[in-house]
Amino acid sequence: MTDRYAVVWTHTDTTPIKMGNLVATDREMRFSYTTEFLEHQDISGLSLLLPPTLWQTRPFIHAATEILPLLPRLMALIPGKNSNNIQRRIHTSLLAKLPRPPAPGFETEWELLMMTGHNGIGHIDVFRDDREATAFYATKPEPKHRVGSRSAFWNFLKDETSQEFSNAALDIVRLIGPTPSVGGQIPKLLVAIPDKKKWDGTIAEPGTRDIDGAAYTDVVMKVDDAQYRGLAALEDLCLDVHQELGFEVPRHWRASIDDLAVLAIERFDRTKNNLPIPMESFFSVYATGQQQVRTTTDAELEQVGAMLVKLSEIADINPDHAGLEVYRRLVMALLTGNGDLHLENLAFLGGPKNIRVAPVFDPAPMRAWDRHDLLSALPFYIDDKHGLRHSLVKLGEAFGVNNKNATEILQNFMDATKNYSERVVALSEVPDETRQKLAARVKALRTRLIK
Ligand SMILES: Nc1ncnc2c1ncn2[C@@H]1O[C@H](COP(=O)(O)OP(=O)(O)OP(=O)(O)O)[C@@H](O)[C@H]1O
Ligand SMILES: [Mg+2]
């Protein structure tokens, strides 16, 4: 493989700025900050673990592995490898139309990063070179496009199996702009929707703030797919439940468009003026510099608690606040049948002076499906002799939550979610079998948690 070069840019409050240079070989990835970037003390760097103030111009070296040829933070900008990932399908279709399409494997991944690595979640923008970067930022905001709820776009989204898109379909994709990438299992796109109470399915390019005097806001838009029928309704319920309990939850909207169930969740990684707010997943922080960590479930929960303490030594994060927040999420994940609270479903937001745990996202109750029927995506020590309740309270210690407080949190959340199973069963859009399985699993769990 020949060496590959790229540049990383980001945005200050007023202007785009080059963060650093990147080179990837088949053995390693190297990154170094530019001196220009180092003069700004107020912008987050490539990762919370690589603070520019400490790192300075030293090159950071990441040893390439099959799964993580690049730093986890950059891998997060490449569309996920599962077959129903809509962005991967779109962008590999576009690559296949090139005169010399890239070979499968790293060559393709790299080209995908060049296409999807900017204007995505968070504040890291990757480009082939500085010219491409400046051209990207110089693009004047064009008249924004709007896609109505009756558009061919929705038919295109319904076509879940196609790996080869027609030119007409690709034109639709161009219409909504260069779709930045979002990881994960569920088909989704980053778009803007009208900032109103009710949503009729109208969408526009991400970053749109206004069309004909109507305000728009950026969202992550998730589309129900055949594998997980009913997920949009279930995730919507779980967002509501978290909100009722005082968690910070983004605004969210449901719509049903041409029989397609859709959930839109307001993005918290953008300011009102469309400036990026840094966001980095727990996985990126945990896996950076730890070669044995390869997947988003390669950690025990107790180690996640230890990571928060370690991180607070080099980043401006309060480990007690972060620990308490993560512990509360864990308890809720158990009580709602989430089973999927892995390291990519928790993130850090903001920086470098005010880093905190990001608001709730992806609280979907995945235990409704047999293949995700896990008590917890990340393992923790369960003391069989003393039972689950005792073990969960003990787990609090790893997050700085003493036994008394942990018991109180558990009891409060148990009380507040008493009718959760009934609310699940009442969701008529969710297939009956799915509702019944989730309700039964949640009830069984609750009996294990009763004093
Ligand atoms: N409201 C939001 N604001 C900013 N970023 C978000 C928001 N919701 C999701 N994201 C980002 O998008 C990514 C994918 O979204 P999400 O986790 O909700 O779905 P998913 O990953 O497909 O589900 P799964 O984790 O089951 O695979 C998240 O990991 C996160 O980086
Ligand atoms: Mg997720």
Side-chain angles (χ1 to χ4, degrees):
M1 181 183 111
T2 54
D3 292 357
R4 278 160 209 284
Y5 299 88
V7 292
V8 178
W9 283 63
T10 189
H11 220 285
T12 69
D13 283 351
T14 50
T15 172
I17 180 172
K18 181 170 178 179
M19 185 186 287
N21 289 295
L22 196 69
V23 52
T25 72
D26 51 4
R27 276 195 286 162
E28 65 189 26
M29 184 214 95
R30 301 167 74 93
F31 172 83
S32 40
Y33 290 112
T34 61
T35 44
E36 180 200 6
F37 181 76
L38 291 170
E39 284 163 18
H40 286 261
Q41 306 264 313
D42 53 342
I43 320 175
S44 298
L46 189 62
S47 164
L48 290 173
L49 287 191
L50 304 175
T53 40
L54 287 184
W55 210 264
Q56 297 294 326
T57 51
R58 267 187 300 154
F60 171 77
I61 300 169
H62 164 85
T65 62
E66 180 85 24
I67 297 183
L68 294 172
L70 304 170
L71 196 69
R73 186 70 182 274
L74 299 174
M75 292 304 295
L77 302 174
I78 303 174
K81 276 194 175 152
N82 46 312
S83 60
N84 65 352
N85 184 300
I86 186 160
Q87 277 120 347
R88 179 167 283 263
R89 285 158 55 210
I90 292 165
H91 287 107
T92 47
S93 279
L94 290 171
L95 286 176
K97 290 184 197 301
L98 292 176
R100 285 189 31 222
F106 183 68
E107 214 176 297
T108 295
E109 301 307 303
W110 181 263
E111 288 307 315
L112 286 172
L113 178 65
M114 294 306 120
M115 290 168 92
T116 66
H118 39 267
N119 199 21
I121 300 287
H123 80 308
I124 302 287
D125 288 338
V126 180
F127 301 96
R128 211 175 289 276
D129 54 39
D130 294 333
R131 223 181 38 184
E132 238 180 53
T134 35
F136 172 82
Y137 295 115
T139 315
K140 297 250 173 342
E142 295 181 9
K144 298 296 182 187
H145 302 295
R146 203 165 63 87
V147 179
S149 58
R150 291 271 149 233
S151 155
F153 174 77
W154 297 101
N155 282 326
F156 157 77
L157 277 188
K158 263 198 231 170
D159 184 3
E160 288 161 351
T161 48
S162 170
Q163 298 293 328
E164 193 33 55
F165 292 104
S166 68
N167 283 332
L170 290 175
D171 280 344
I172 294 172
V173 174
R174 289 192 192 99
L175 180 77
I176 63 157
T179 49
S181 148
V182 214
Q185 294 288 331
I186 307 304
K188 70 184 92 54
L189 289 173
L190 300 181
V191 295
I193 67 167
D195 190 347
K196 288 191 193 150
K197 232 183 162 133
K198 283 238 176 264
W199 178 42
D200 65 359
T202 299
I203 59 172
E205 287 175 52
T208 303
R209 283 292 172 270
D210 180 289
I211 297 179
D212 300 333
Y216 276 64
T217 188
D218 279 331
V219 297
V220 175
M221 184 180 82
K222 292 182 157 187
V223 184
D224 249 13
D225 79 341
Q227 268 190 68
Y228 301 106
R229 206 49 89 208
L231 182 56
L234 286 167
E235 183 167 341
D236 183 48
L237 170 66
C238 286
L239 286 165
D240 289 345
V241 171
H242 278 81
Q243 195 161 6
E244 290 158 17
L245 284 181
F247 285 86
E248 193 185 348
V249 173
R251 288 195 293 165
H252 47 283
W253 295 260
R254 286 285 319 280
S256 175
I257 299 148
D258 285 352
D259 296 332
L260 213 57
V262 202
L263 176 66
I265 305 126
E266 189 164 47
R267 281 174 67 179
F268 40 70
D269 67 322
R270 287 289 181 276
T271 66
K272 284 267 173 260
N273 299 328
N274 202 21
L275 288 173
I277 299 175
M279 173 154 157
E280 180 169 6
S281 73
F282 276 33
F283 176 67
S284 174
V285 171
Y286 194 73
T288 294
Q290 285 205 81
Q291 253 210 318
Q292 74 283 11
V293 179
R294 294 168 343 143
T295 74
T296 59
T297 52
D298 278 351
E300 287 162 16
L301 279 174
E302 290 85 350
Q303 294 171 315
V304 176
M307 172 189 84
L308 296 175
V309 175
K310 257 190 160 150
L311 181 63
S312 71
E313 289 163 15
I314 56 160
D316 187 9
I317 187 163
N318 182 322
D320 295 333
H321 291 176
L324 175 63
E325 179 61 19
V326 175
Y327 183 70
R328 284 160 44 92
R329 301 271 182 98
L330 297 173
V331 174
M332 283 302 283
L334 288 179
L335 290 172
T336 52
N338 177 324
D340 197 37
L341 191 61
H342 52 66
L343 296 173
E344 270 302 329
N345 282 338
L346 288 164
F348 299 102
L349 188 75
K353 291 273 169 278
N354 52 348
I355 301 156
R356 62 195 178 95
V357 176
V360 174
F361 62 94
D362 207 7
M366 299 307 289
R367 294 193 69 187
W369 289 274
D370 292 346
R371 59 185 170 285
H372 296 282
D373 183 21
L374 284 175
L375 187 71
S376 170
L378 300 170
F380 62 99
Y381 177 67
I382 297 182
D383 175 348
D384 283 335
K385 195 165 141 227
H386 294 101
L388 184 62
R389 184 185 168 93
H390 172 87
S391 309
L392 188 57
V393 167
K394 276 282 185 210
L395 176 65
E397 292 171 9
F399 293 91
V401 182
N402 66 32
N403 293 178
K404 178 175 164 284
N405 291 345
T407 306
E408 210 173 287
I409 291 170
L410 177 57
Q411 201 50 54
N412 284 345
F413 289 179
M414 290 270 288
D415 293 345
T417 54
K418 233 179 212 138
N419 66 351
Y420 172 70
S421 302
E422 282 81 60
R423 289 171 79 176
V424 167
V425 174
L427 294 173
S428 54
E429 318 94 293
V430 182
D432 195 41
E433 189 193 349
T434 311
R435 287 185 258 169
Q436 297 304 341
K437 277 190 172 165
L438 178 59
R441 285 166 184 165
V442 166
K443 277 186 193 152
L445 176 95
R446 289 180 72 91
T447 57
R448 292 177 67 190
L449 287 175
I450 288 170
K451 214 172 0 186

